[in-house]
Amino acid sequence: MREIFDNYFAFATTVFMGLFAIVNPISSIPVFLELTSNMDKPQRRNIATKSVLIAFCIIAVFSVAGKLIFHVFGITLAALRVTGGILVFVIGYEMVRGKDEEKSNPKLGDQPVKADHGISAAITPLAMPLLAGPGTITTAMSYSAAKDVYHLAIVMGVYGLICYITFLLFLAGDKIVNVIGTNVMMVITKMMGLILAVIGVQMLALGVMELFKL
């Protein structure tokens, strides 16, 4: 019994470290604050809740039936990486440019809040590709397919914990800004935008290489 517990605990620890490193919820805070900059607290909480729930559902579905979904729709992981890379690059590019340079082309955070805007922000880019991107999907699928149903449950539970941590970080975003200051947060936002843009280019390059088998 002790050996079984140790095995599952070690597996859960490995899954948590792997998924947490890939998801990196801390890096998503500036994106969340940017997209919800013109929203009040209830609306922000609503977006945070929707984004983590949608991300969890995405990972759950792909963990259970990812290979079948890819086969039925003729989707390849390379194509998913290319699409995700483009989306991540666009978001990163907008974060680097900042609001002052986009007065003629306001972003979601600058516009009046509507229901469709809210769900759009929760789905893209927060839920996918930031919280449930190609890397997260691939990792969750590999962990889930390797073992039995108990290991699948562990993967789901661990990712659920990461989603909850992300939810708490999103809600604490304003407090984090108050502690470190607006100017510092602006610098962090631009730095994260640059990093996101680079990650997007890397995802796109990997996807293109896989698509054309370079």
Side-chain angles (χ1 to χ4, degrees):
M1 188 68 179
R2 177 71 178 179
E3 292 180 358
I4 296 176
F5 175 80
D6 289 342
N7 180 47
Y8 286 148
F9 181 78
F11 179 74
T13 302
T14 301
V15 173
F16 179 83
M17 296 301 293
L19 288 178
F20 191 86
I22 294 174
V23 175
N24 193 9
I26 298 175
S27 66
S28 299
I29 296 176
V31 183
F32 175 78
L33 294 178
E34 183 76 5
L35 292 173
T36 60
S37 60
N38 201 41
M39 300 181 185
D40 55 27
K41 288 185 178 180
Q43 291 167 332
R44 285 188 174 186
R45 187 182 185 89
N46 184 38
I47 297 300
T49 302
K50 288 179 180 178
S51 64
V52 295
L53 287 178
I54 293 171
F56 180 82
C57 290
I58 291 172
I59 295 302
V61 169
F62 277 99
S63 295
V64 174
K67 293 182 179 179
L68 178 61
I69 293 173
F70 278 24
H71 177 73
V72 170
F73 291 97
I75 301 172
T76 64
L77 188 59
L80 186 62
R81 282 201 176 99
V82 170
T83 305
I86 294 173
L87 291 174
V88 171
F89 173 80
V90 170
I91 297 301
Y93 175 69
E94 290 183 353
M95 289 174 64
V96 172
R97 289 185 64 186
K99 294 181 180 179
D100 293 338
E101 300 177 26
E102 296 189 15
K103 291 181 180 178
S104 60
N105 184 26
K107 295 174 289 184
L108 176 62
D110 302 322
Q111 300 178 22
V113 180
K114 298 180 181 178
D116 58 337
H117 286 168
I119 192 65
S120 296
I123 296 174
T124 304
L126 292 176
M128 190 173 187
L130 292 183
L131 301 181
T136 310
I137 291 174
T138 307
T139 304
M141 285 175 60
S142 63
Y143 281 136
S144 302
K147 304 287 183 177
D148 52 29
V149 65
Y150 298 106
H151 289 82
L152 172 62
I154 290 175
V155 172
M156 294 295 92
V158 168
Y159 188 74
L161 175 61
I162 294 175
C163 285
Y164 183 67
I165 294 173
T166 303
F167 173 76
L168 295 179
L169 289 174
F170 282 169
L171 295 186
D174 286 333
K175 294 181 180 179
I176 295 174
V177 173
N178 291 334
V179 171
I180 65 177
T182 304
N183 292 334
V184 175
M185 193 63 195
M186 182 177 64
V187 173
I188 293 176
T189 299
K190 290 184 178 294
M191 288 178 59
M192 289 310 308
L194 179 61
I195 293 174
L196 280 178
V198 173
I199 291 174
V201 171
Q202 186 176 32
M203 289 171 59
L204 177 61
L206 288 173
V208 170
M209 289 176 66
E210 290 181 9
L211 278 175
F212 297 100
K213 301 186 185 302
L214 298 177

